[in-house]
Amino acid sequence: MNILERYHAMEYGPAPEARNEADAWLAARDFSKALFIDGAWKAASGGKTFETSEPSSGKLLAKISDAGAADIDAAVAAATKALPKWSASSGYQRAKVLYAIGRAMQRHQRLFAVLETIDNGKPIRESRDIDVPLAIRHFIHHAGWAQALDKDFPGHKGVGVVGQIIPWNFPLLMLAWKIAPALAAGCTVVLKPAEFTPLTSILFAEICERAGVPKGVVNIVQGGPEAGGAIVNHPGIQKIAFTGSSEVGKIIRKATAGSGKKLSLELGGKSAFIVFEDADLDSAVEGLVDGIWFNQGQVCCAGSRLLVQEGIAEALIAKVKTRMSRLRVGSPLDKNTDIGPLVDATQLDRVKGLVAEGARQGAVCWQPDAALPSSGYYHLPTLATGVSPANILAQEEVFGPVLATMTFRNTEEAIELANNTRYGLAASVWSENVNLALHVAPQLKAGVVWVNGTSMFDAACGFGGYRESGFGREGGREGMFEYLAAKLPLGPVIKQATISAQPVEQADGAAIDRTAKLFIGGKQVRPDGNYSLAVATAKGKLAGEVGFGNRKDIRDAVSAARACKAWPEATAYNRSQVLYYLAENLSGRAGEFAARLTELTGATPKAAREEVDQSIERLFLYAGLADKFEGRVHQPPARAVTLALHEPVGVVGIVAPDNAPLLGLISLIAPALAMGNTVVAVPSEKYPLLATDLYQVIEYSDVPAGAINIVTGRTAELAGVLAKHDDVDGLWVFADAETCAKAEAWSIGNLKRVWSGNGRSLDWASDEAAGDALLRRAIEVKNVWVPYGD
């Protein structure tokens, strides 16, 4: 028998990973005392426990302490007590602790990998070669950020005590993504792992003991919904970081509304895997295996929607089916296994139900002819063809090994199909033409885009989504900002506006009446309701009337902003020229605006002129920064570069304050415009005539129609309409505390990014209320991975 004959005669044989060390670790632990609080192991105060089982067999692994509200109180108290000393420690001291954690994890990485596979069900190759090394990389990488903090993030300090809630699909990796940047920033942590997968977090807590983490800096509390709710609602926590489903993310967003807590959400996805006709099909198929069958498809950024160009669809689908037939489904501890079990019976039932519903809606669901193990929560890899864009398999996150396939004819249709989802986490683009790939990537509404690759991650490169995939980033420079806070210069407390029925005294004089209208789509328009609001001077006389904008006017303004393509598609240099021109034209009418400020607010002529001059200077500042606040190029430890591109948030609603009514309005509008956003502005309710005077300047300053829209009216009412509008991508609200809280709570329809003053305004004249701090709120960071080499 020659070598070739021997090769073809070879049969698959199991290659199991030894689990004896993991079993010994399990046997030696008292899991009834699995809460790690203030450096000590404790039982739940209520004595409750929950069970964790092995997905490959359903067998019980351990009974774990189930934390309640009292345990969360104890953990937060420990974190609060430890915070002053930890945050005051030098960056070098924190870096040494982070490095020690990473090195200790390296020494025990095989135990971490086996425990992760036993508890979660993912194949040992993935735990061993991806999850654990990347978790270690995060701690060592963030040791560097800890030491560079003062230099790279001047004026920023750790946000405080952080509550973190992580999912079951990447238990150890998500823990590292959360804890490493928090510790680097000088924060202390209360972290709750998922109930299905508590084991590696317990081992990690033991590592913290060995690595010299000070007591109370890291607290890990096992538990279910009660523990999670207690963390979210605890008044002693300054930030919540959550990874999980979009549905739970919305609940957390609503629960934290008005609390002042910083919030980052990394949620679900329905990522597109786009294959153009010039792609290397064999490479694309291997990428697809990683994209959708990695971790059994239980990945938020799984490439679960295959979009393939019509001319190659038949050939690619044939290759995919052949490759699927060779995927090995079986024990996750077998080194040759490609697909292990789903995490739990409930997840298996959910996946089966979605596949059945997708078939009922017209999809053709194909599975390879393979046997499943007799025990455990296994599901065969599934290919759904003939999927319509509205099919449940194309719209809902299955979180299982299920691939939905659609075809497209040209580039424009591919982009349209890819963006036809309420999510926006990730996407993959496959083409041998790098010009085409880099043309498509910026047009995809996704926080991460992989070119000729998929599921690539690194601690130096940010990860996170748009739309209902959440907001905030994990990893990279942008991920550090999530755990830092700059002290913005607070202005006065904003009082809730009261609607007065008292008539305003008619002004003296015989001036010709001038009607102030709304400004929508580049035109002065009358309010839909045909009502007006009287505006009084500082002396109580009638200064004029403005339109009483309503829900319909906001809808029209948002539509105009969305339809304005010229502004976001303009180059940064062109945007800077327009903003310079706007400043130039405002300067030409500086005396008129100063007089209006004096008339309305009672400010002295000198103070009024200073506010106008500061407004012009602020426009000049953002005109100059429009083409200078740029992204970065990262070089992860792989043959790839990652382009961290700054992109506009989209349509941004702005609710401006009464204090410094001209400067405050321009300080908010200008950075949003500089970064390419379009704006729907609700000006000061008390002094709206400054905004209606301003649109006269906008009209002859080359600002494209729809880039700036101004709707006057009642602040609280219009802020609520903007918050509920699902075509608004971001909302900045400086109003009374109740209006700010409602705006945050009502934003959950599309999980828009909300920045509120929580009932306080800012000192708009200060340098701290301008520049990078506002520009960062006006952008999304998209990380585009571009591989190189053969």
Side-chain angles (χ1 to χ4, degrees):
M1 182 180 287
N2 61 34
I3 293 176
L4 184 61
E5 290 171 333
R6 288 181 182 275
Y7 175 79
H8 287 300
M10 289 174 65
E11 294 182 357
Y12 162 72
E17 172 72 45
R19 58 179 291 165
N20 53 304
E21 291 293 333
D23 286 334
W25 183 87
L26 286 165
R29 297 295 172 286
D30 179 4
F31 291 106
S32 68
K33 294 181 179 179
L35 308 184
F36 186 67
I37 299 174
D38 202 17
W41 294 98
K42 300 180 180 181
S45 57
K48 292 169 59 179
T49 62
F50 64 88
E51 296 181 350
T52 183
S53 300
E54 194 168 352
S56 63
S57 65
K59 293 180 180 178
L60 177 69
L61 288 170
K63 294 184 177 180
I64 312 289
S65 308
D66 190 352
D71 303 304
I72 302 303
D73 286 341
V76 174
T80 303
K81 182 181 177 182
L83 180 64
K85 187 174 182 179
W86 179 249
S87 61
S89 63
S90 71
Y92 174 53
Q93 289 172 316
R94 294 198 300 275
K96 287 194 296 182
V97 171
L98 283 159
Y99 180 73
I101 291 173
R103 292 293 281 162
M105 291 176 70
Q106 283 180 327
R107 292 194 294 273
H108 298 278
Q109 60 184 355
R110 185 56 64 97
L111 178 57
F112 270 113
V114 177
L115 276 177
E116 194 82 324
T117 287
I118 289 172
D119 203 19
N120 170 273
K122 63 176 60 188
I124 186 65
R125 286 187 294 119
E126 296 177 9
S127 300
R128 181 195 64 203
D129 299 341
I130 300 172
D131 292 26
V132 177
L134 190 51
I136 294 167
R137 158 84 171 141
H138 271 264
F139 282 101
I140 294 177
H141 174 83
H142 283 91
W145 275 129
Q147 203 163 354
L149 202 66
D150 292 339
K151 174 181 175 293
D152 283 81
F153 302 91
H156 288 75
K157 297 294 182 184
V159 71
V161 177
V162 177
Q164 301 175 321
I165 302 172
I166 59 174
W168 46 259
N169 57 335
F170 290 92
L172 182 65
L173 186 54
M174 293 297 101
L175 177 150
W177 282 20
K178 295 286 190 293
I179 291 181
L183 297 191
C187 301
T188 55
V189 167
V190 177
L191 179 137
K192 189 195 86 66
E195 295 162 277
F196 289 149
T197 51
L199 297 183
T200 47
S201 68
I202 295 171
L203 176 57
F204 175 81
E206 294 178 0
I207 292 292
C208 289
E209 288 183 293
R210 300 171 194 170
V213 178
K215 292 181 179 180
V217 170
V218 173
N219 304 273
I220 298 179
V221 286
Q222 312 296 336
E226 181 185 354
I231 289 173
V232 168
N233 295 302
H234 202 289
I237 287 177
Q238 285 77 52
K239 172 184 167 63
I240 298 294
F242 172 77
T243 297
S245 71
S246 298
E247 291 73 23
V248 176
K250 290 181 179 182
I251 293 170
I252 293 174
R253 165 71 281 186
K254 190 171 184 178
T256 57
S259 68
K261 292 176 183 175
K262 197 168 185 179
L263 180 64
S264 55
L265 301 172
E266 197 265 282
L267 308 176
K270 196 68 186 174
S271 301
F273 190 102
I274 308 170
V275 183
F276 286 96
E277 59 189 1
D278 64 345
D280 179 339
L281 297 192
D282 291 327
S283 295
V285 169
E286 291 308 308
L288 194 58
V289 169
D290 286 338
I292 181 58
W293 292 302
F294 172 53
N295 197 18
Q296 294 73 254
Q298 298 170 133
V299 184
C300 54
C301 57
S304 56
R305 290 186 299 144
L306 171 60
L307 310 181
V308 54
Q309 199 153 14
E310 283 184 353
I312 58 166
E314 185 176 345
L316 182 65
I317 294 300
K319 286 177 177 289
V320 170
K321 287 183 176 180
T322 299
R323 187 66 176 86
M324 288 173 67
S325 67
R326 293 172 182 165
L327 292 173
R328 295 190 178 100
V329 181
S331 168
L333 283 173
D334 189 329
K335 300 183 187 77
N336 291 310
T337 290
D338 297 302
I339 297 180
L342 299 179
V343 74
D344 185 75
T346 55
Q347 183 64 15
L348 177 59
D349 290 342
R350 182 180 185 275
V351 173
K352 287 180 177 179
L354 286 170
V355 171
E357 178 59 23
R360 192 191 68 79
Q361 293 180 10
V364 177
C365 295
W366 181 89
Q367 295 175 333
D369 184 13
L372 292 177
S374 58
S375 63
Y377 314 124
Y378 291 89
H379 192 286
L380 284 172
T382 303
L383 174 68
T385 55
V387 177
S388 70
N391 189 291
I392 195 169
L393 296 179
Q395 291 296 323
E396 294 299 324
E397 185 179 35
V398 177
F399 227 58
V402 180
L403 176 65
T405 305
M406 292 172 278
T407 61
F408 63 88
R409 289 164 291 184
N410 53 41
T411 303
E412 292 72 23
E413 188 178 6
I415 294 167
E416 185 176 0
L417 281 171
N419 291 335
N420 181 33
T421 172
R422 67 181 189 275
Y423 299 108
L425 189 53
S428 294
V429 179
W430 291 77
S431 170
E432 290 296 280
N433 183 344
V434 71
N435 292 326
L436 174 61
L438 294 180
H439 168 71
V440 171
Q443 299 183 68
L444 300 177
K445 295 298 182 183
V448 180
V449 178
W450 296 294
V451 174
N452 292 334
T454 190
S455 298
M456 292 184 282
F457 312 99
D458 186 63
C461 307
F463 180 86
Y466 297 1
R467 298 174 168 175
E468 290 188 39
S469 290
F471 46 78
R473 293 294 182 265
E474 314 241 26
R477 179 181 174 84
E478 55 267 38
M480 281 301 303
F481 276 114
E482 298 300 328
Y483 292 92
L484 296 169
K487 195 169 184 180
L488 289 174
L490 293 178
V493 173
I494 301 174
K495 297 180 181 179
Q496 191 168 27
T498 55
I499 300 175
S500 173
Q502 296 296 321
V504 178
E505 184 180 345
Q506 189 70 34
D508 299 327
I512 296 175
D513 182 76
R514 189 171 71 182
T515 301
K517 300 177 183 177
L518 311 182
F519 187 64
I520 297 175
K523 299 177 182 179
Q524 300 181 35
V525 298
R526 296 186 185 279
D528 172 71
N530 238 356
Y531 286 98
S532 296
L533 294 172
V535 180
T537 67
K539 297 179 179 179
K541 294 186 179 292
L542 182 67
E545 295 180 320
V546 296
F548 192 167
N550 62 17
R551 183 182 303 271
K552 175 64 164 57
D553 297 310
I554 291 290
R555 286 205 305 266
D556 291 344
V558 172
S559 294
R562 181 63 66 191
C564 176
K565 304 299 182 185
W567 188 252
E569 292 176 1
T571 66
Y573 176 56
N574 285 342
R575 292 198 300 270
S576 73
Q577 289 180 297
V578 172
L579 289 172
Y580 275 131
Y581 192 34
L582 185 59
E584 177 187 333
N585 289 330
L586 179 59
S587 176
R589 293 176 59 177
E592 176 187 334
F593 275 86
R596 178 71 93 176
L597 271 167
T598 297
E599 176 194 25
L600 294 176
T601 68
T604 66
K606 180 182 178 182
R609 183 57 190 247
E610 285 177 353
E611 181 172 340
V612 174
D613 289 344
Q614 287 171 334
S615 300
I616 296 166
E617 183 181 347
R618 198 60 52 88
L619 280 170
F620 241 64
L621 170 70
Y622 288 114
L625 292 175
D627 60 354
K628 298 173 184 66
F629 190 72
E630 299 175 303
R632 294 183 167 218
V633 177
H634 301 303
Q635 294 177 281
R639 291 190 306 168
V641 292
T642 306
L643 312 177
L645 306 178
H646 286 181
E647 296 189 338
V649 172
V651 176
V652 175
I654 290 176
V655 180
D658 290 336
N659 72 310
L662 179 63
L663 179 59
L665 178 65
I666 285 178
S667 294
L668 292 168
I669 288 177
L673 292 174
M675 294 295 99
N677 299 282
T678 55
V679 169
V680 176
V682 176
S684 159
E685 181 174 332
K686 193 173 182 181
Y687 309 117
L689 287 173
L690 286 159
T692 58
D693 289 350
L694 185 64
Y695 71 57
Q696 298 168 23
V697 180
I698 294 169
E699 284 180 309
Y700 56 82
S701 297
D702 294 343
V703 179
I708 307 176
N709 304 273
I710 298 172
V711 180
T712 54
R714 301 295 186 198
T715 293
E717 178 185 340
L718 298 181
V721 178
L722 285 166
K724 293 177 181 178
H725 200 303
D726 285 352
D727 220 17
V728 174
D729 302 300
L731 180 58
W732 302 352
V733 184
F734 285 86
D736 62 275
E738 182 180 346
T739 298
C740 290
K742 287 181 177 178
E744 291 176 351
W746 290 338
S747 70
I748 62 172
N750 67 339
L751 279 174
K752 61 177 62 67
R753 290 171 47 175
V754 179
W755 173 34
S756 85
N758 293 306
R760 298 289 295 267
S761 190
L762 298 183
D763 176 6
W764 299 106
S766 66
D767 291 340
E768 293 82 5
D772 288 8
L774 276 75
L775 290 172
R776 275 195 300 274
R777 300 182 184 277
I779 60 163
E780 297 276 16
V781 181
K782 171 181 286 181
N783 281 270
V784 179
W785 288 69
V786 184
Y788 57 81
D790 293 333

